[in-house]
Every structure is written in structure tokens, then in C-alpha cells.
Amino acid sequence: MSVCVCVCVFFFTNYILTILSFFFCRDELDIRQLISRILSERQSFANITEQALQEEIASLNSKANLAEYNDRGEDVVRAENYVFKDESTGTSQQEIFNNQRMELSKDVGNALNEVSLSLDFVSLLISSVKPALSKNTMSPHLQKFVKPTSLTSDKLENETGSGNGSASGNSIESTFNENGTKNTKIGEGWKTEAIGKITKLFKESAENLKMQVAKENRYWTMVNSVKSNDEALFRMRDPVSNARSIGVKYGYGDSGSDFQDKGNALLRKNNRTGVITFVPLGSTGANGVQVSTKQYKYVRVRILSKVDEDYIVTGQSKFSRSQFKSLYEVINQIEMARYFLFEDDLFYQLSREAKILISYNITVSADKITLAFGNDIVEIESVAYDESEDGNSPAQSTASSTINNEKCQCIIIYFKLMLCCFYKYNLKLKQKVPTNLTKWKQSNSHPLILRPFLGNLRHEMFVETAEKIINDIVKSTNLQNELNIKKFTNLGKVSKNPFQKSIDKPISVFYLQLKNTEQKVLKIKVLITTNELYVNLILRLNVTQYERVEDSKIDIGGSNILLTDFNDFDDFQTSLDWTIRDFHSN
């Protein structure tokens, strides 16, 4: 027998002894020791079957010459004889040894590969329970191509008996009946449990998919409703989570507004329900775009009249919320934010104009602008919006407190219309070809809202004062007189722009004609106007004297006595009184 055969017989004998010791001493080893013992001796579970084990046990019991196989010295002698016989055939002993060593190394390598595969398989099974231990025993190749915890395993507990306290069975014995036949109940139980788990996972996955579809449907339906409302949408990042999101532009930048708040908002998605939340954004600073937390405010106009040395409210503008009506709450929020952004811009522009008019009995604070006109005071307030209150009238409204309600409402409408006119003007400048002139106008154009309003009110007061001065002077002389007043002569010009009269400087003219006892005629023309600030007083006095009444009618032969401008009523009154008295004395 050759050396290879002897070595195989030697290993086979050790395998048989191992199997016998395993079956005779199985109650003394636990499952871990059994697995490690089988792996060290058998090298692989692939070749172990019940039939093969029974045949090996029967073969061992039938052999009577076990001592002959256990005698290793005799095996060595046979191996030497075998080598000697091979040398007689002409084959060198070194070649035979090298061939046998190569075959032996191949067998050892195959055994190591099978052991490594088995170890990787077991490590992958226990990776879901003990990830740290499985990573230490798992090969790098398997860790690279197979994700840990991708397989799992269950632990089978042995049933404990009540007699002598020993185990009545284990996982291997429980698979057989008393007569030795295979019991399939455990396998069927495992399959039933696996099917139940898979069914549960499929149901959970189906429910999860349904929820995801419902959330996405709800989200995109609301986005489409916002888009259908002609809103400008754009892509952006959530400043809180840095996640991709959709933004909406509700400001007036495209309409010509240059307000500091550009009116950008975030349509934030609720990951749990898929509902869109409207989140206004503040200005871009050093830390990027920030979420705005400012409170909504609106502009309110009130008129206070002096009664018995006290000022009481005689009128107040109304706040309308009828435009906030839609089936989707997010659209209502966008419309509301746009409305209050316009209100903020309006009060901002009014405050800018009021700061340059402080010397004209105007006071400016953070939330109020006060204009004084004789016995009346006009208050322009920025009031916080409260949904629980209507904010339209005082708590106790009386007949006297609502006299000027219509006037207040007209004032607030006038302010808003003038701001819209400025938007239109500014938008036209942006649409023109950029030149030095258009660039200068864009940087130096300011809305005319408060100044024209204040200028026209003061012009009314100037006209009344000038009329009173003229009447008093004429009455004191007892001259024949004829006074004709033409107010707001600038409105006589036809203009295509209905708001042109609001930004034109007001002009009123007094025509006074006097005749003395000598039938001389004195024509006086008083023109009242203002400058670009709209609130200053400009009085232009023009006096012409005619020697005859007929000359005055055809405006021939008149001599200009006085032509000058005044910025104060005292100087105007002094000069006019001296001119008329001098004419009267002549």
C-alpha cells in the first residue's frame, strides 16, 4: 500500500473514533462545543448525512481488528515498504514525496476554505444579534460585498424535564419520533412563522407605501393649487434643515416696489402628514436667509377733533378682511402676507416722508405719525393685527365718533393709490433702456404720498387765510371792490393720468379790482402756490394801476406798481395794506 493510502487510512481511523466519541458522549457537550468539534474534525457540514453516520457506526462495530489500525508503528513500516517498492519501479523517492505533499496541501487548503466559508456563514447569521463579534470573525471579502445583518437567526431553547432535571431533548433529537422516523412539525412551524413574519412585513410595507402616496398626493395637490393661483414658485433650501424645498414670492418686487422686505416665503412640507406650511422669510444677512417672526400690522387713519379743550376721536378708517377667502388655507396665508407686506411698505414710505416734515407740526414715532391742522389732528398708525378683534371701530362708538369715518377711509385709500402709482412709475423706469438719466431717476425717485396730501391741506388753509386778510383790508378802506377767487387752477389742465392732479403743485389765484373817487382802477393779483416740498408757502403779489376804467377793461395803459413774492403772511399783509391805502389816499 502506498504512503498516500496509509495517510488516508490514518485520517479515516481518527474520523471514526471522533464520530464514536461524539455519539457516546453527546450528553456531556453543549451545542457550541458540538459545532466546534464537528467543524474541527469533519471540516464541512455538506457531507454529513444521517445515512452516512449510520453506515460508519455499523462499519466500526463490524471490524474486529481495531488494534491493528491503531498501531501506528506498523503503519510506518508499511509506508516504508511501500516507498521501497516504488523505488524499485524506477520512480525517485523525492518526486513521490513532493507529489504527496502537494496533494496533502490541496486537501488542507480545501478544508480551510470550507471552514472559512462556514465561519463566514455563522458570523453573518449572528451579525444581527452580536454585530461586534461577527465583524471580528467575518472575512474582509464578505464584509466588502455583503452587508452585515442581512441574514438573521433564531435561538432554539431545549425543553427541560421535571424528573432528574436533565434536558429531555435538544434541537437535534426533537426532529425525530420515538420510532426513528423524521418529525416535520418543527419545520412546518418554522415555515409558518416565517410566512407570518413575511406577511406582516408586506402589510406594513403596503401601508407605508399607501401613506407615502397619500402624503405626496396631498403635498403636490397643495403645490398645484398655489401654482394655479398665479403665484411665482422657485426652488430653494430650507434655512432650518437645509433640505430641498419650494419657495413662493408674494412680494411686489416685480411690480416696481423697492421695499427692504422682498416678500419671499417657504412652502415647508410636514413629513408626517404632507401638508404645506407657509413660512415667511426675512432678509438675507450674514447668517443667510432667516425665518421671519414679525407680527402682521396694518395702517389705520384716525381724526381727532378739539371739543372743549380736549381732543376726541371723530373718525376712523376700517380694516377689510374680505379678500382672505379660499378653499386652501395656504393660499389665504399667502394673500394675507401679501396684504400686510403692502401695509408695511405704505407705513415705511409715509415715515420716510414724515421725517423731512418735522418742522411743519408733524411728529413721528415707531408706530404713529401725527399731523396737526388747526383744531383737527390726523393720526396715521401702524396697528398690530389681531384675528379675534375686528379693529374697525372703538369699543364704544357714538354718533360724534363716526362723523369723519368716510373722510378717514378716503385718506387711507388715497395713500394706497398713490403708493401703487409709485410702483407703476418705478416699474416703467426699470423697463426703459438704462442710461445715466434713468439710473439717476431710479436711485433718486421717492413716492409722493404724504407730501401732496399735506400740501393740499395746507394750501386750503393758505387760501382761507389770504381771503380773510384781503377782505379785512378792503373793508377798512371802503373802496369799490370786486373780488374773484379761482382755487386749484392747476386742475383745469386735462391730463390722461387721473393721479396727475395729486402730484402737481396746487395753485390758487385771487383777482381783486379796486376803484377810488378819481375813477382810477387798481388791479391786484395774488397767486398762492408752493415749491417741490408741497408744504411751503409762496405768495406772488402783482399790482397794476390804470388811470381810467375803460383802460382797465381792455388792459391798456396800466402801470405796474408792485411785483414781488412772499413766504410769510405778515409781510404779505403789510405790503398789501400799504399799497391799497396809498391808492385810496390818491
Side-chain angles (χ1 to χ4, degrees), residues 301-334:
V301 177
R302 301 172 66 185
I303 295 179
L304 286 77
S305 300
K306 190 175 183 180
V307 178
D308 298 334
E309 302 300 328
D310 292 330
Y311 286 93
I312 63 173
V313 177
T314 58
Q316 178 176 298
S317 62
K318 296 181 180 180
F319 173 72
S320 177
R321 291 174 290 181
S322 59
Q323 61 269 29
F324 307 145
K325 299 293 183 180
S326 178
L327 297 177
Y328 295 96
E329 183 63 24
V330 64
I331 297 180
N332 293 334
Q333 293 174 353
I334 294 173

Side-chain angles (χ1 to χ4, degrees), residues 190-202:
W190 284 351
K191 291 180 180 180
T192 303
E193 183 180 2
I195 292 174
K197 289 182 178 180
I198 293 173
T199 304
K200 183 179 179 181
L201 290 175
F202 281 168

Side-chain angles (χ1 to χ4, degrees), residues 6-23:
C6 294
V7 173
C8 293
V9 171
F10 175 74
F11 279 105
F12 180 75
T13 304
N14 289 334
Y15 290 159
I16 297 303
L17 293 176
T18 302
I19 293 173
L20 290 175
S21 62
F22 168 73
F23 281 99

Side-chain angles (χ1 to χ4, degrees), residues 44 109 160 180 184 193 195 219 254 337 345 368 584:
S44 176
T160 57
T184 60
E193 183 180 2
I195 292 174
Y219 172 76
D254 296 336
D345 192 4
K368 183 183 291 187
H584 178 62

